[in-house]
């Protein structure tokens, strides 16, 4: 399921990153790689704040749709 469907505060593993090569590279640079542990911290106006590794990252709902957990 895409990460925007995740429960806030629950931990998940990234299974796959979809989208164009540019999008995949951008998300990979943010730390979204298969096997990475992530959790959704908050949802604001459809955008997500996601905890990945030791950082919190803001991503759009469109980007969140490319991250499969």
């Amino acid at each position: 399921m895409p990460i925007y469907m995740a429960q806030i505060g629950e931990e998940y593993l990234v299974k796959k990153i979809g989208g164009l090569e540019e999008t995949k590279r951008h998300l990979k640079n943010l730390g979204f790689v298969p096997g990475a542990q992530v959790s959704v911290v908050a949802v604001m106006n459809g955008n997500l704040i996601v905890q990945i590794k030791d950082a919190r990252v803001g991503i759009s709902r469109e980007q969140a749709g490319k991250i499969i957990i």
Side-chain angles (χ1 to χ4, degrees):
M1 74 177 164
I3 196 169
Y4 64 73
M5 296 179 71
Q7 295 291 319
I8 293 174
E10 293 289 320
E11 293 188 352
Y12 298 90
L13 290 178
V14 175
K15 293 183 181 175
K16 180 179 150 186
I17 303 296
L20 300 174
E21 198 58 41
E22 182 180 335
T23 303
K24 289 181 187 179
R25 190 172 333 124
H26 174 68
L27 292 171
K28 181 180 175 185
N29 289 338
L30 292 175
F32 295 97
V33 293
Q37 193 170 30
V38 297
S39 64
V40 176
V41 176
V43 179
M44 292 181 258
N45 299 327
N47 299 319
L48 284 76
I49 306 281
V50 180
Q51 178 81 34
I52 179 119
K53 299 185 180 178
D54 292 331
R56 289 186 179 190
V57 178
I59 57 174
S60 69
R61 183 174 172 92
E62 182 181 347
Q63 290 174 322
K66 310 291 189 221
I67 302 168
I68 306 301
I69 54 173

